Amino acid sequence: MERRRFVKGAGIAGIVAAASAPAIVYAQQQLRWRIASSFPKTLDTVYGGAEIFVKNVSEATSGKFTISLHSAGELVPAFGVVDAVQQGTIDIAHTCGYYFVGKDETFAIDTSIPFGMNARQMNAWMYDGNGMKLLRDFFSQYNIVNLPVGNTGAQMGGWFRKEIRSVADVNGIKFRIGGFGGKVFSELGVIPQNLPGGEIYTALEKGTLDAAEWIGPYDDLKLGLHKVAPYYYSPSWWEGSTQFSLYINANQWATLSKEYQNIVRQAASDAHVAVLARYDRRNPEALKQLIAQGAKLQRFPKDVMDAAFKARNKVYAELMDSNPNWKKIYPDYAKFLAESYQWIPVADGLYDQYMAAQKL
């Protein structure tokens, strides 16, 4: 008798719970957000990271949380996405922090800074070091919650119309390069130019540019830059890795349930891994094609690297004195980087050197 009463009571409670819980969840899950990218659809590796992200969110929520993806210029200009997120015009931006160094140089730490971290180091600092916390504090000033959503790995140093034999050869050249790379290179006499990708080929062909950097073999091959500037230099000391990010409006983020916040984080992490994997798979074949078509693979002379490193130290010292946000984050970044290089050359460095020398 008592057992039947318990079962009957439990059944009623279960029915009430089953009837009410889905209504609560349903209300939380009917979401339609918009994400604006700083990149065109033709940049399939980078833009593809955002496509993976929105697909993952939709699938994980059975289509109840959908995010419409828009390429550069469709909703807002490519470099207007941070303002749009901050103001709530859009819900998420898909972009690179170093596009916004005009607001604060600290933005660049979220993407890449000269002679900075490689992709593995950046992941370690962000996910197991203090990187995420420090950058979250910084981005909160802009009403933004940040999430990594891809990385190129180390990029190439660009295409030059003439060979670079010493640091003297870069003095006075007009080089398509932006952000911190341009700021540091200008200390060597380089004249930085910031052009969209679609204008680079014509500028090199006409001689209004002497050199241009883009990303790496897979993306560079599409632009055909080797046809007008055959000397292909490495490494890109200003982009030892380049991290892409999602910048989410903080007010919108706060409205998400914990479950949905976790889904967004996991969807971004999956895309983050996928973008780097795509570059690591596609760049080797693209490099072979470039060389077969006449690209002359070169290494920056040591005096160029040394002069750039010295200039980088000067710029960073000035920022430590003038920018409190930089001063708060960069020391932790620099300490992590220095400690990492006490380990990486011992294992990966020696292994990679040996394997690269073998006839595989």
Side-chain angles (χ1 to χ4, degrees):
M1 184 67 174
E2 292 299 322
R3 179 178 179 276
R4 284 197 296 272
R5 288 177 181 170
F6 174 79
V7 172
K8 183 178 180 181
I12 292 170
I15 291 169
V16 170
S20 60
I24 296 170
V25 174
Y26 184 83
Q28 292 175 337
Q29 290 181 335
Q30 293 300 312
L31 296 177
R32 301 292 184 268
W33 281 15
R34 298 190 301 173
I35 178 171
S37 180
S38 292
F39 308 103
K41 294 178 182 178
T42 52
L43 198 58
D44 61 314
T45 41
V46 178
Y47 191 81
E51 291 177 321
I52 292 170
F53 167 71
V54 299
K55 180 175 180 287
N56 287 348
V57 171
S58 178
E59 290 183 349
T61 61
S62 299
K64 297 295 180 65
F65 185 1
T66 60
I67 306 172
S68 61
L69 174 59
H70 304 269
S71 62
E74 287 186 2
L75 292 180
V76 293
F79 301 148
V81 294
V82 163
D83 288 340
V85 167
Q86 186 177 3
Q87 296 161 9
T89 306
I90 58 174
D91 304 293
I92 312 177
H94 170 236
T95 191
C96 281
Y98 64 10
Y99 291 150
F100 309 99
V101 293
K103 295 178 179 293
D104 189 312
E105 294 89 349
T106 312
F107 269 92
I109 296 178
D110 186 49
T111 302
S112 180
I113 58 177
F115 296 100
M117 295 182 182
N118 64 28
R120 280 183 58 186
Q121 291 167 330
M122 191 69 175
N123 282 343
W125 183 62
M126 290 293 291
Y127 289 104
D128 201 49
N130 296 321
M132 192 74 81
K133 179 182 183 302
L134 289 168
L135 287 171
R136 282 281 169 85
D137 289 345
F138 168 71
F139 282 116
S140 67
Q141 301 172 50
Y142 295 87
N143 197 33
I144 283 171
V145 173
N146 63 299
L147 287 171
V149 72
N151 200 308
T152 65
Q155 294 194 11
M156 292 293 288
W159 299 91
F160 290 71
R161 298 175 70 208
K162 297 181 179 179
E163 190 173 2
I164 304 298
R165 295 185 176 87
S166 72
V167 69
D169 291 331
V170 302
N171 186 35
I173 68 169
K174 297 183 292 294
F175 188 20
R176 187 273 177 194
I177 184 174
F180 260 128
K183 187 178 181 67
V184 172
F185 241 143
S186 66
E187 298 281 335
L188 279 59
V190 170
I191 304 169
Q193 307 285 313
N194 200 2
L195 273 73
E199 298 178 17
I200 296 174
Y201 183 96
T202 302
L204 282 171
E205 186 178 38
K206 291 182 177 179
T208 53
L209 281 180
D210 300 302
E213 60 89 34
W214 185 225
I215 298 178
Y218 179 74
D219 295 314
D220 291 4
L221 180 62
K222 294 180 181 180
L223 295 185
L225 303 182
H226 57 291
K227 299 174 183 177
V228 287
Y231 296 97
Y232 198 23
Y233 276 87
S234 182
S236 173
W237 46 262
W238 55 95
E239 291 185 88
S241 72
T242 298
Q243 178 173 276
F244 307 104
S245 293
L246 298 177
Y247 294 158
I248 305 171
N249 178 275
N251 297 331
Q252 289 290 74
W253 176 258
T255 67
L256 295 179
S257 66
K258 292 298 182 183
E259 178 188 5
Y260 270 26
Q261 287 182 356
N262 285 332
I263 286 173
V264 168
R265 276 193 291 262
Q266 290 163 11
S269 293
D270 185 55
H272 187 59
V273 172
V275 171
L276 182 58
R278 287 180 175 184
Y279 275 111
D280 284 342
R281 183 178 71 83
R282 298 176 186 187
N283 277 332
E285 178 58 33
L287 182 60
K288 287 196 296 183
Q289 292 183 46
L290 286 168
I291 293 172
Q293 294 176 28
K296 304 178 190 299
L297 193 60
Q298 304 282 324
R299 184 173 181 172
F300 277 124
K302 186 176 185 299
D303 69 334
V304 172
M305 298 289 288
D306 290 345
F309 191 79
K310 183 178 179 181
R312 168 259 206 191
N313 290 344
K314 176 177 179 290
V315 169
Y316 290 0
E318 291 170 352
L319 286 171
M320 287 292 289
D321 291 336
S322 64
N323 188 326
N325 286 321
W326 181 276
K327 188 174 183 178
K328 181 179 179 182
I329 298 176
Y330 179 69
D332 187 86
Y333 179 103
K335 181 174 181 290
F336 193 98
L337 179 65
E339 291 176 349
S340 178
Y341 273 117
Q342 294 174 22
W343 157 242
I344 285 180
V346 174
D348 292 72
L350 293 178
Y351 178 77
D352 288 346
Q353 287 177 23
Y354 179 82
M355 291 298 292
Q358 305 312 303
K359 296 181 180 179
L360 298 176

